[in-house]
Amino acid sequence: MPYKYGHYFVAFTLAITVGGFWASYFTASGPMPLAFHVHAVTAMTWLAFLLVQSVSIHSRRNALHKTMGQASFALFPLLMLGFVAIINLSASRYLAQESPFIMELGPAFGIAMVIALAAYLTLFYNALKHRRNIKLHAGYMLATPMILFESPFSRLMEHLFPWMNFIQSGGPRNVLDTIAISDTLVSAFALALYFRDRKHGAPWLMAAGFVMLQAVVTWFAPDMTFLNAPFKAYAQIPGSITLAAGALAGIAVTYFGWVAGSRPAAARAVPETG
């Protein structure tokens, strides 16, 4: 099976996630917005799911792997709902002019999550579409943690490894520096995997493209003042509508990805014998 060390990568991402959000979420004393809980639970569950999937297929527990794969049909739309919940929270805080920090960086956080959501939709669609090609299927699934990696690692960089931030923009924009650097590191790792096997490297090239797009757009977002008006307009859409749209996007990608990966009817038919 390909990527026999894939579960170590997922476990490392899971550990980075716990470490990155340890102070701000896992051990925080004050009340947390519901959006944080929804995103945290669905994202952590997704990583745990990938970990079990990688271990199960390499230990030849194919039945478990198949059952867990079917469970992803329900998990993935919930994951997308969690992403939208965070976008909604950033937008509502921006609309309420909660703080100078959110007024400067709110649209940047929103566009970063939109790009992450688009990346997940694209990668999961292709994972289902190419599920009969083991290397491509595994690659697209294992590429999804790369989209998550930036958020916790940028927090670790800010608090534990400030020397890594060689940009040092100063003020609130320092946060965007850490995001850009984290995304660049992920992109370099993805490109290294791509060049190891370019024939089956599409997942890694795609992941690298998304994280670098996120790095560039997010860092320049405070200078893109034209984003402010649509972000404010988005904040005024009822949350129930945007959350439903996110979940429906996850359902649609799951359905169409599965259909795209199905064998043609002619190939499934058993030839008649005379």
Side-chain angles (χ1 to χ4, degrees):
M1 293 295 170
Y3 308 114
K4 63 180 179 179
Y5 301 116
H7 47 285
Y8 293 113
F9 164 65
V10 178
F12 176 69
T13 304
L14 191 55
I16 290 294
T17 301
V18 173
F21 289 103
W22 185 256
S24 62
Y25 179 75
F26 291 102
T27 60
S29 57
M32 286 283 172
L34 178 61
F36 283 2
H37 296 306
V38 174
H39 180 55
V41 170
T42 54
M44 296 281 284
T45 302
W46 182 261
L47 289 174
F49 155 76
L50 289 176
L51 187 60
V52 173
Q53 284 295 77
S54 182
V55 171
S56 65
I57 199 64
H58 284 100
S59 60
R60 305 293 180 179
R61 300 179 68 180
N62 294 350
L64 174 61
H65 187 84
K66 182 177 181 181
T67 300
M68 290 292 292
Q70 293 170 343
S72 72
F73 298 168
L75 175 58
F76 186 74
L78 293 175
L79 181 67
M80 296 300 95
L81 185 145
F83 272 81
V84 174
I86 295 297
I87 297 171
N88 289 358
L89 180 62
S90 296
S92 65
R93 286 175 165 177
Y94 182 79
L95 185 64
Q97 300 183 15
E98 186 176 276
S99 67
F101 178 86
I102 199 66
M103 293 309 293
E104 182 172 350
L105 301 187
F109 293 151
I111 195 67
M113 291 299 291
V114 168
I115 293 171
L117 187 148
Y120 261 86
L121 291 171
T122 305
L123 291 169
F124 190 59
Y125 171 85
N126 280 285
L128 294 177
K129 178 181 178 180
H130 297 286
R131 65 186 182 274
R132 302 185 191 282
N133 184 317
I134 297 174
K135 276 199 169 183
L136 283 178
H137 172 72
Y140 281 116
M141 292 299 288
L142 289 172
T144 58
M146 292 183 169
I147 311 302
L148 280 175
F149 189 85
E150 161 275 313
S151 187
F153 189 75
S154 63
R155 284 165 171 79
L156 283 179
M157 188 190 309
E158 183 180 359
H159 298 294
L160 298 181
F161 317 118
W163 53 268
M164 292 184 66
N165 184 3
F166 59 88
I167 303 174
Q168 292 293 338
S169 295
R173 198 158 186 164
N174 263 355
V175 174
L176 303 186
D177 296 346
T178 61
I179 291 174
I181 294 168
S182 297
D183 275 336
T184 301
L185 291 173
V186 171
S187 180
F189 179 57
L191 289 174
L193 291 173
Y194 167 73
F195 284 113
R196 282 187 62 192
D197 181 10
R198 283 184 288 179
K199 181 180 179 181
H200 302 98
W204 313 117
L205 195 60
M206 189 176 293
F210 272 114
V211 295
M212 284 313 298
L213 175 65
Q214 185 182 65
V216 173
V217 173
T218 303
W219 198 85
F220 283 103
D223 302 319
M224 302 177 185
T225 55
F226 60 86
L227 293 174
N228 297 347
F231 194 57
K232 187 179 294 186
Y234 175 89
Q236 299 178 63
I237 301 173
S240 57
I241 293 178
T242 53
L243 289 170
L248 286 173
I251 293 170
V253 157
T254 301
Y255 173 76
F256 288 112
W258 185 264
V259 170
S262 298
R263 290 195 184 102
R268 294 196 303 266
V270 178
E272 295 183 4
T273 56

